[in-house]
Amino acid sequence: MTGPPEIFVAKDIQDLSRNAATEFVRLAQRSVEAAGRFVVALSGGSTPKATYSLLASAELGSRVPWTQTHFFWGDERCVPPDHPDSNYRMAYESLLSKVPVPAENIHRIEGEREPEAAAAAYERTIRDFFRLGVSSWPRFDLIFLGLGDDGHTASLFPGAAARQETRRLVVATYVEKLKTHRITLTLPALNRAANICFLVVGENKAPMVRKALREKSAQLPAAQIAPVDGRLAWFLDEAAASALHG
Ligand code: 6PG
């Protein structure tokens, strides 16, 4: 990882979302200028929704090169795309249905399929998109991540075998505590990104933010996020950052 994580503390989720959306616009413009495309993997959960909605606004959306932007996901629930729990549905409703992204630029995880087949299909999609060789890794321009109050990120949960994966880009993982399967990018795939931005709000996340940033607790999947050759930034609200001091 090139340098320590950058930490941006915002007053509240509105302030954090503006910071995160502005960062998205900055990276999109820079990536398209440098390489003619911007390849982003979105996070699921609830925190990023306000950021996605801001990106759909005229003020910020008018500055994004949508036709050269490609959307992937860091993880997905094993549900159909129109299911209330679908990460794709959340992004579609808050952003993708409101901006001129070409349909062929949206590379969702097929959560409706049998988990192993969905993981294999998504890995193939990524390998084909990045034109990867057998032992190569994708370099996403930006990956948004969230943090669970147990320290999980994407769908890499504490104690899960998926955290040990070193070869595959994508795995299906059974999450015992949720009694459900998930599809997730693996740590090596995540850590090849050029920019990784955590978006975390709420006092309930403060202990895990401290463990990840200060104690670097190896048991925490979020603490294992360390770009090999890239930039890591944490966008926090004051409540989520409240255990970092002292
Ligand atoms: C998911 C996410 C997951 C999420 C965290 C935080 O599919 O749910 O990928 O890693 O980011 O659980 O979720 P909240 O933003 O809802 O707190």
Side-chain angles (χ1 to χ4, degrees):
M1 183 169 84
T2 45
E6 294 170 71
I7 302 172
F8 302 101
V9 180
K11 178 167 53 62
D12 53 26
I13 188 166
Q14 287 75 26
D15 194 20
L16 177 147
S17 302
R18 171 158 293 280
N19 295 344
T22 304
E23 180 67 358
F24 180 104
V25 172
R26 182 182 75 86
L27 291 174
Q29 291 176 344
R30 194 174 70 173
S31 302
V32 167
E33 190 178 329
R37 72 183 190 186
F38 175 52
V39 187
V40 55
L42 298 179
S43 173
S46 55
T47 303
K49 194 168 182 177
T51 298
Y52 301 164
S53 297
L54 272 176
L55 286 169
S57 70
E59 181 201 350
L60 286 174
S62 60
R63 295 161 48 195
V64 177
W66 295 114
T67 56
Q68 293 138 295
T69 299
H70 287 262
F71 285 93
F72 292 78
W73 277 258
D75 70 325
E76 185 56 280
R77 289 81 180 278
C78 290
V79 294
D82 59 352
H83 190 283
D85 291 349
S86 166
N87 289 338
Y88 162 80
R89 172 173 161 176
M90 184 272 277
Y92 181 80
E93 290 179 342
S94 54
L95 175 59
L96 301 178
S97 58
K98 300 172 180 174
V99 293
V101 178
E104 62 270 21
N105 289 20
I106 299 172
H107 314 276
R108 73 176 182 88
I109 302 169
E110 296 167 299
E112 66 275 25
R113 296 180 64 173
E114 183 276 326
E116 292 296 342
Y122 190 51
E123 173 139 353
R124 175 50 50 208
T125 297
I126 294 172
R127 288 193 175 281
D128 291 348
F129 179 83
F130 284 98
R131 297 195 174 98
L132 297 181
V134 172
S135 56
S136 305
W137 299 95
R139 186 168 174 79
F140 288 93
D141 295 307
L142 169 62
I143 298 180
F144 275 143
L145 289 176
L147 176 70
D149 56 12
D150 60 358
H152 81 262
T153 191
S155 282
L156 297 169
F157 284 76
R163 291 175 50 203
Q164 316 302 330
E165 178 61 42
T166 58
R167 286 183 308 103
R168 287 178 289 176
L169 308 182
V170 184
V171 294
T173 177
Y174 183 73
V175 184
E176 186 60 41
K177 69 181 282 189
L178 301 176
K179 300 286 186 247
T180 184
H181 282 90
R182 294 275 189 96
I183 311 296
T184 186
L185 290 180
T186 58
L187 276 172
L190 291 167
N191 280 330
R192 265 39 178 218
N195 296 274
I196 299 178
C197 294
F198 275 96
L199 310 182
V200 189
V201 301
E203 189 146 9
N204 65 312
K205 306 288 179 73
M208 284 302 157
V209 169
R210 180 182 179 87
K211 280 182 181 292
L213 278 172
R214 291 286 180 269
E215 300 164 23
K216 297 179 173 45
S217 170
Q219 301 312 311
L220 292 188
Q224 294 179 284
I225 296 297
V228 172
D229 175 20
R231 173 175 164 271
L232 174 61
W234 286 71
F235 289 79
L236 307 169
D237 70 351
E238 287 171 355
S242 58
L244 285 178
H245 317 303

